[in-house]
Amino acid sequence: MAAPEQDGDVELVFDHDNLFDEEVPYPERYAQWKGAAAREKVLRYEPPHLLAFSWDGGAEGVATFELSDLGGRTRLVLVHSGISGPAGMADFGGGWMAHLAVLEARIAGRGVDDFWALHRHLEKTVQAALR
């Protein structure tokens, strides 16, 4: 994939099988997205610190990733704004939290047994917080 540029496109490939160590089937509600690719519009691109792109053509808002230096460490801030409603907020919130937990585990050299169990747990956590 070519480097993104502002007003250009970014391709997202959904291949969750690469996120965990055990063989775990996709939940039925996500099975249709296995291996799917989506093209989104890059809205902001300020390398190496910031990338923002639309989600679902903007219908589900904007995902923004911002990196900052903390004296030899890196802080990642992820903001997904403009989500269409509470169900989407729970789904995206659980998904992003699960993806970040996988990233943290991999950086620390730990394995991940089941991304989908983690996603379900975190989605319920977000649902409870939205009440």
Side-chain angles (χ1 to χ4, degrees):
M1 172 172 86
E5 54 186 61
Q6 194 150 328
D7 298 323
D9 291 337
V10 63
E11 182 178 52
L12 307 173
V13 178
F14 299 92
D15 189 3
H16 291 85
D17 286 343
N18 289 322
L19 296 178
F20 46 89
D21 304 321
E22 302 296 321
E23 189 170 326
V24 178
Y26 267 61
E28 190 174 318
R29 77 182 218 196
Y30 295 108
Q32 67 180 335
W33 302 110
K34 185 175 183 172
R39 285 196 130 354
E40 296 296 340
K41 186 64 63 187
V42 175
L43 304 172
R44 288 181 65 197
Y45 182 58
E46 300 167 17
H49 302 288
L50 188 128
L51 173 63
F53 52 85
S54 62
W55 198 279
D56 194 18
E60 288 296 345
V62 175
T64 303
F65 301 82
E66 189 167 2
L67 300 173
S68 57
D69 181 12
L70 296 177
R73 296 178 53 136
T74 303
R75 172 179 285 158
L76 166 62
V77 176
L78 165 60
V79 176
H80 189 154
S81 59
I83 298 171
S84 63
M89 290 175 193
D91 183 28
F92 283 115
W96 285 126
M97 288 172 60
H99 281 87
L100 292 173
V102 168
L103 176 62
E104 180 181 27
R106 295 295 189 205
I107 288 171
R110 295 189 313 268
V112 177
D113 291 334
D114 185 344
F115 170 82
W116 295 112
L118 181 60
H119 184 282
R120 279 189 304 277
H121 167 72
L122 292 169
E123 184 176 26
K124 288 176 185 176
T125 300
V126 174
Q127 285 172 337
L130 291 172
R131 291 187 185 130

